[in-house]
Amino acid sequence: MDDDALLARQAELQSEAATFVRELGLVEMLGRAGRVIELGSAVTGLMVWRDLDFGVDAPGLTAGAAWETMRPVLSRCSSLRYANDHAERRHYFVMRIAGWKVDVSLWFAGLPPAVEAFQAELPARLTPESRLAILRLKEFWHRLPHYPEIVSAWEIYDAVLNQGVRTLDELDAFLAARGLPTRGFGGDDA
């Protein structure tokens, strides 16, 4: 896919995401638990697939209250994974709804300051060239089995913005140096 097509598809996905979120009433639904922060590529303009991320600053939220918050969309899920993630101090839901992957972190000990800071900082650090590099790398990686659970967008952002990575070979070297899978493990070499 050429750069113009990547940018056009990114804009289309971002528009589709806004419509999907509005029609599902996700922000209003999550807002019952606390302050909602839209996260990820739908906010930063780095979308290559139907993936949405939300954080909710919900101090004191119990597991039962988290499930009650999510109840309105549960019947629409084609798959659902939940973790009461004590290490991250969140109730974590990963859902598939109408072709979208929707991740929701309900932070029961308060929103980690680094989450909002990173979300605010990322768009300011993007140049047209780094945005395209990230889109190119994510376009390849989002199809591999290690993405996004083991190698995520965060690793790609770190590689591009902090290490000057621009190619798949450079990303492989970056990942291998950190003990992470490369595209040669579990994916096609390209």
Side-chain angles (χ1 to χ4, degrees):
M1 182 176 294
D2 71 20
D3 291 349
D4 289 337
L6 273 174
L7 291 169
R9 189 177 65 185
Q10 190 297 132
E12 181 179 317
L13 284 168
Q14 204 168 16
S15 176
E16 286 179 23
T19 300
F20 176 75
V21 167
R22 185 176 55 254
E23 288 175 354
L24 210 54
L26 280 173
V27 173
E28 296 79 9
M29 180 193 79
L30 295 172
R32 296 191 323 240
R35 182 172 64 93
V36 178
I37 303 99
E38 294 185 59
L39 304 168
S41 58
V43 178
T44 58
L46 296 169
M47 292 190 85
V48 297
W49 65 301
R50 289 183 171 88
D51 177 36
L52 295 167
D53 301 281
F54 290 89
V56 182
D57 187 12
L61 189 73
T62 65
W67 280 96
E68 189 59 33
T69 297
M70 302 304 295
R71 182 182 309 278
V73 296
L74 296 180
S75 66
R76 300 190 64 179
C77 294
S78 60
S79 71
L80 169 67
R81 186 180 56 172
Y82 167 76
N84 189 341
D85 184 350
H86 287 284
E88 293 287 327
R89 299 162 50 154
R90 67 182 175 168
H91 302 287
Y92 183 55
F93 292 81
V94 180
M95 303 164 284
R96 298 282 179 167
I97 304 171
W100 288 86
K101 178 178 168 279
V102 181
D103 289 29
V104 176
S105 294
L106 298 135
W107 281 287
F108 55 78
L111 177 72
V115 170
E116 208 161 13
F118 176 78
Q119 190 65 42
E121 174 189 299
L122 180 60
R125 293 190 61 200
L126 293 172
T127 64
E129 188 263 341
S130 64
R131 178 182 303 279
L132 280 168
I134 289 169
L135 288 171
R136 283 186 214 111
L137 294 169
K138 284 180 67 179
E139 169 60 24
F140 182 86
W141 263 90
H142 88 275
R143 300 172 197 281
L144 298 182
H146 299 300
Y147 190 91
E149 300 302 324
I150 299 171
V151 174
S152 69
W154 189 89
E155 282 81 23
I156 294 172
Y157 300 161
D158 182 31
V160 170
L161 297 173
N162 299 324
Q163 304 300 318
V165 166
R166 296 297 183 265
T167 68
L168 287 169
D169 289 339
E170 291 170 345
L171 183 59
D172 278 348
F174 172 87
L175 296 170
R178 285 150 184 81
L180 293 169
T182 65
R183 63 193 155 119
F185 296 97
D188 301 337
D189 283 341

